[in-house]
């Protein structure tokens, strides 16, 4: 992993933990350097600083102040980044809205966070209105903010950045039920950024291809914001598209990219992909769910190292990382990040031995401060200062961590623990399977039995008998799926996580039994 050439505000600036000054720092030192590329537009650090000041002034003029929430619903665009830094300057909180949600789901979030201002681009204005919101046009808002600042109309608001102030209100993906708003402070963002820089070595020469949605902490905080903190360049895509990413690779030669497993598969399936397209990458970073070893090895065959990042909205998200030099630990998500501590504990909260599966607990200043307006659930999320993740995994003798799945997803069949991720890895390696998700179904004799939802590979026909025979050679009998359900696709969140609670209602669609 390369060392940072110029580390950014953390190198000694007393306001390093305060995001409100990060862009200013680079605007003063490297004003002409390109900060963001979006479409045909290139924005320098000096220009980005002017735009951030304008957005902060506009928010201030509209009566948005410290502690207020600003909701925004849009595709990826530069204004999302401007809003992050502008909100830091006035002490407000940015609440990104997942633009792939339904109106009732958006309504829940808007009613929960009660924003002082709702912004939406033209493509998502109707979504906000159907959810009962009254959106301000994001294009008009940004245009006025930029024009006012460029023309020097009115002073910029007093910088009120404070590391202890809440900055981001990001709703969990809701893979197990109703989403909760996780509150991330300015300080937690700084330590998340610091974790990312220690792991990925961002510096002034870094170029990030940012293609995941910025309304999730994965797309925003793992590479995009850290790259700007370090003075690098972010090449922002409106949304992920495999051909579009390849074009970015060829034109801008990015050093960093972050993908989820579904996007990795889509990229490999793109006919125009060539090994040289990926040659500029130090490694391909991935996360959001367990990544199959087969998928990793397919990128390795193209000469690309693959390293995983583990975390959640509540952890910023960077909590456990596989460093580049350890990429040969295929399937592991690595070791605790620079500013994180990790415990793996049993049901009594005692540390387990190496190789034993337990629940992951995380501690560090990158953690969220709590769930919005949910003090009881916030209390339940912590144990003696440790965040109780609900994820299961183990550490090997060398301290490398391996994820087994969610605690809530653990299947106990006949007194034996069945970890869905283990079964999914085995089934997912079958050549006829494109994707698989395993859940537990109640059983009168065994308590629970595993059931597999399978998406066939393109042009393939899934034979239940063949899948079961495949599993006989890899899994103990109690781990093998009792039922197989063939589906066209799995319900997923925007970051590719499977919504397993939705699969539980589809049990009756079983097409074969073992």
């Amino acid at each position: 992993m390369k060392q940072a050439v110029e580390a950014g505000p953390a190198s000694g600036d007393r306001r390093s933990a305060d995001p409100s000054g990060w862009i200013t720092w680079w605007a003063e030192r490297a004003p002409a350097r390109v900060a963001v590329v979006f479409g045909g537009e290139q924005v320098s650090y000096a220009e980005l600083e002017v735009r951030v000041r304008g957005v902060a002034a506009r928010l201030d003029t509209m009566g948005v102040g410290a502690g207020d929430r600003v909701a925004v619903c849009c595709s990826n665009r530069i204004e999302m980044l401007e809003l992050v830094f502008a909100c830091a300057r006035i002490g407000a909180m940015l609440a990104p809205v997942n633009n792939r949600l339904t109106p009732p789901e958006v309504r829940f979030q808007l009613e929960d966070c009660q924003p002082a201002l709702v912004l939406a681009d033209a493509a998502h204005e109707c979504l906000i209105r159907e959810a009962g919101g009254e959106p301000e046009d994001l294009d008009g808002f940004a245009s006025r903010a930029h024009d006012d600042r460029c023309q020097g109309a009115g002073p910029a608001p007093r910088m009120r950045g404070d590391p202890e102030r809440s900055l981001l209100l990001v709703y969990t993906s809701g893979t197990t039920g109703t989403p909760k708003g996780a509150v991330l402070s300015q300080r937690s963002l700084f330590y998340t950024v610091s974790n990312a820089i220690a792991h990925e070595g961002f510096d002034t020469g870094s170029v990030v291809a940012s293609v995941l949605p910025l309304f999730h902490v994965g797309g925003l905080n793992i590479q995009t914001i850290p790259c700007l903190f370090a003075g690098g360049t972010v090449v922002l895509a409106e949304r992920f598209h495999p051909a579009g990413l390849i074009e970015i690779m060829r034109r801008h030669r990015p050093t960093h990219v972050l993908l989820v497993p579904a996007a990795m598969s889509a990229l490999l399936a793109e006919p125009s992909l060539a090994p040289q397209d990926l040659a500029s990458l130090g490694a391909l970073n991935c996360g959001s769910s367990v990544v199959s070893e087969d998928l990793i090895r397919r990128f390795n065959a193209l000469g690309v190292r693959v390293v995983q990042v583990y975390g959640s909205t509540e952890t910023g998200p960077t909590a456990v990382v596989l460093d580049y030099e350890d990429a040969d630990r295929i399937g592991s998500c690595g070791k605790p990040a620079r500013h994180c501590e990790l415990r793996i504990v049993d049901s009594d909260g005692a540390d387990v031995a190496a190789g034993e599966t337990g629940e992951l607990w995380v501690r560090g200043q990158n953690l969220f401060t709590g769930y919005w307006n949910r003090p009881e659930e916030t209390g339940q999320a912590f144990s003696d200062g440790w965040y109780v993740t609900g994820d299961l995994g183990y550490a090997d003798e060398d301290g490398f961590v391996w994820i087994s799945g969610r605690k809530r997803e653990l299947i106990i069949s006949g007194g034996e623990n069945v970890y869905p991720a283990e079964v999914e890895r085995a089934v997912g390696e079958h050549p006829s399977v494109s994707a698989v998700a395993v859940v537990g179904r109640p059983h009168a004799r065994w308590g629970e039995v595993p059931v597999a939802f399978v998406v066939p590979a393109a042009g393939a026909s899934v034979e239940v008998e063949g899948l079961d025979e495949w599993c006989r050679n890899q899994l103990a009998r109690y781990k093998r799926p009792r039922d197989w359900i063939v589906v066209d696709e799995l319900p997923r969140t925007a970051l590719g996580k499977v919504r397993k609670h939705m699969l539980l209602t589809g049990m009756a669609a079983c097409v074969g039994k073992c």
Side-chain angles (χ1 to χ4, degrees):
M1 180 173 61
K2 63 182 181 180
Q3 298 297 312
V5 174
E6 195 174 356
S11 61
D13 190 282
R14 63 183 177 81
R15 293 179 287 111
S16 61
D18 172 8
S20 66
W22 294 353
I23 302 303
T24 308
W25 201 90
W26 286 113
E28 293 171 350
R29 287 158 178 78
R33 184 181 301 151
V34 176
V36 184
V37 178
F38 181 65
E41 184 179 16
Q42 291 191 359
V43 177
S44 69
Y45 275 95
E47 292 167 332
L48 184 58
E49 166 66 11
V50 168
R51 293 167 70 140
V52 170
R53 287 186 180 182
V55 170
R58 187 69 187 171
L59 291 173
D60 193 56
T61 300
M62 297 176 74
V64 178
D68 287 338
R69 278 75 61 205
V70 177
V72 58
C73 185
C74 62
S75 302
N76 284 358
R77 48 190 295 167
I78 298 176
E79 286 79 6
M80 277 283 285
L81 303 175
E82 295 169 10
L83 282 164
V84 172
F85 296 107
C87 283
R89 295 189 182 197
I90 65 173
M93 301 168 64
L94 185 65
V97 176
N98 183 338
N99 58 49
R100 300 174 185 176
L101 298 180
T102 64
E105 290 171 317
V106 173
R107 182 181 302 113
F108 169 83
Q109 294 187 12
L110 295 181
E111 291 178 350
D112 188 59
C113 74
Q114 292 292 300
L117 175 66
V118 182
L119 298 166
D121 61 12
H124 301 98
E125 182 180 352
C126 288
L127 173 61
I128 296 297
R129 293 194 184 282
E130 289 178 30
E134 292 295 331
E136 177 90 7
D137 173 53
L138 179 58
D139 290 297
F141 168 87
S143 178
R144 288 189 291 273
H146 299 160
D147 288 347
D148 287 350
R149 196 72 226 121
C150 289
Q151 294 169 14
R158 177 174 61 89
M159 181 180 287
R160 295 196 292 265
D162 180 348
E164 308 312 319
R165 285 198 182 279
S166 300
L167 175 56
L168 295 173
L169 177 57
V170 186
Y171 282 82
T172 60
S173 56
T175 55
T176 57
T178 303
K180 300 182 289 290
V183 178
L184 295 168
S185 69
Q186 296 187 22
R187 182 181 297 278
S188 65
L189 180 61
F190 167 71
Y191 279 98
T192 291
V193 165
S194 299
N195 282 337
I197 290 175
H199 166 49
E200 300 188 56
F202 293 108
D203 59 31
T204 55
S206 297
V207 179
V208 164
S210 181
V211 297
L212 296 185
L214 297 181
F215 54 69
H216 281 311
V217 291
L220 187 65
N221 292 349
I222 293 180
Q223 291 188 343
T224 306
I225 295 294
C227 183
L228 292 174
F229 178 94
T233 298
V234 172
V235 182
L236 185 63
E238 186 175 10
R239 61 180 59 84
F240 169 76
H241 188 278
L245 176 55
I246 292 172
E247 178 62 22
I248 288 175
M249 295 283 189
R250 292 172 179 172
R251 291 187 60 188
H252 300 283
R253 309 306 296 166
T255 55
H256 298 74
V257 68
L258 172 72
L259 298 178
V260 298
M264 292 168 67
S265 296
L267 182 60
L268 288 173
E270 180 61 34
S272 62
L273 179 66
Q276 59 266 30
D277 295 333
L278 307 173
S280 62
L281 295 175
L284 187 155
N285 276 256
C286 60
S288 90
S289 61
V290 176
V291 186
S292 73
E293 292 188 16
D294 175 68
L295 193 55
I296 294 173
R297 293 186 189 281
R298 291 171 66 190
F299 275 98
N300 291 165
L302 294 173
V304 180
R305 293 180 293 181
V306 177
V307 293
Q308 295 193 56
V309 178
Y310 164 80
S312 64
T313 303
E314 292 88 344
T315 65
T318 306
V320 181
V321 295
L322 185 67
D323 286 331
Y324 291 7
E325 57 265 31
D326 298 319
D328 59 338
R329 303 269 184 165
I330 296 176
S332 172
C333 59
K335 296 182 178 182
R338 174 71 59 86
H339 300 287
C340 271
E341 297 176 80
L342 176 71
R343 295 178 62 197
I344 302 180
V345 304
D346 61 19
S347 57
D348 296 322
D351 295 323
V352 301
E356 292 185 10
T357 297
E359 184 175 14
L360 277 65
W361 289 9
V362 177
R363 184 167 67 181
Q365 294 198 63
N366 56 300
L367 293 184
F368 76 131
T369 55
Y371 294 117
W372 180 254
N373 285 338
R374 298 194 183 194
E376 183 175 347
E377 293 186 53
T378 298
Q380 294 171 351
F382 288 90
S383 178
D384 295 327
W386 292 85
Y387 169 57
V388 179
T389 69
D391 290 322
L392 299 172
Y394 67 91
D396 63 21
E397 292 288 348
D398 297 320
F400 288 90
V401 178
W402 307 73
I403 303 300
S404 302
R406 292 287 297 173
K407 185 176 182 180
R408 291 183 184 180
E409 297 170 1
L410 175 66
I411 302 167
I412 303 178
S413 185
E416 298 282 359
N417 289 347
V418 179
Y419 300 104
E422 179 185 8
V423 182
E424 290 164 357
R425 275 193 287 264
V427 176
E429 291 176 356
H430 192 283
S432 296
V433 174
S434 171
V436 58
V438 173
V439 298
R441 188 192 67 191
H443 190 277
R445 180 179 180 184
W446 303 114
E448 289 181 295
V449 293
V451 175
F453 288 77
V454 176
V455 178
S461 175
V462 171
E463 298 291 339
V464 170
E465 293 79 8
L467 289 176
D468 189 52
E469 184 63 32
W470 174 271
C471 290
R472 285 179 191 273
N473 300 323
Q474 302 185 62
L475 298 170
R477 180 174 177 81
Y478 68 88
K479 297 179 183 180
R480 298 203 303 267
R482 187 62 58 91
D483 289 346
W484 300 85
I485 301 174
V486 180
V487 294
D488 293 331
E489 60 181 7
L490 299 173
R492 296 181 181 272
T493 68
L495 280 184
K497 294 182 181 179
V498 178
R499 296 177 180 266
K500 290 192 174 181
H501 66 286
M502 296 177 64
L503 291 176
L504 297 176
T505 63
M507 294 290 188
C510 182
V511 298
K513 295 186 178 181
C514 303

